[in-house]
Amino acid sequence: MLAPVVVLWVAVGGALGAVLRQAADGAAQRWSPRVAELGVLGANLVASAVLGFLAGGEVLLGSVPGEAPMAPTLTASRILGVNWWLLGAGLAGALSTFSTAVVQVARRVRAGEWGTALALAGVTWVVCAGAARLGAELGVALA
């Protein structure tokens, strides 16, 4: 059973992430109503960077392709302590919304906007993977 403090830290992070995601989506819709997907892309970008930083060390950078990492040490627990890792995991988990990104791509496909749909899917994947990698590199550099 999880300790109550673990649930508390993840819940606080989740609440912050949900508020930030809503704010990012609203700001993007006001700023660029024709490309409302920018809010979701921005939220996913930040969440990917945060998760890359938190878990990045051995998980993303120290593993051999095709093999599972052996007993990874989470970067953030060495830098910030375990409670910050839990807070960040909750924040990034609530902030990221890849399911919404898939729905947005599907809507563009249904509207016949194949080029926009493919560009949105490709940019989301490349930018978020890159953000996770940069976050991991930063975490390793600071550890």
Side-chain angles (χ1 to χ4, degrees):
M1 183 158 160
L2 292 175
V5 71
V6 170
V7 175
L8 177 67
W9 278 101
V10 173
V12 168
L16 290 171
V19 168
L20 289 173
R21 181 179 65 196
Q22 188 68 25
D25 195 37
Q29 288 182 15
R30 285 188 302 279
W31 178 62
S32 179
R34 296 185 68 198
V35 189
E37 294 91 353
L38 292 177
V40 171
L41 178 61
N44 287 338
L45 171 84
V46 171
S48 296
V50 168
L51 284 175
F53 174 79
L54 293 174
E58 288 80 359
V59 175
L60 288 179
L61 303 178
S63 61
V64 175
E67 294 182 19
M70 298 294 291
T73 302
L74 296 171
T75 301
S77 63
R78 287 182 291 177
I79 300 169
L80 303 171
V82 72
N83 290 341
W84 285 103
W85 184 88
L86 294 168
L87 178 78
L91 180 133
L95 179 60
S96 65
T97 178
F98 286 95
S99 59
T100 301
V102 170
V103 168
Q104 290 174 336
V105 168
R107 284 183 183 152
R108 293 288 186 160
V109 167
R110 289 182 68 190
E113 300 172 7
W114 284 92
T116 303
L118 288 172
L120 181 61
V123 166
T124 297
W125 186 85
V126 170
V127 168
C128 291
R133 178 67 184 218
L134 290 175
E137 295 283 356
L138 179 64
V140 168
L142 294 176

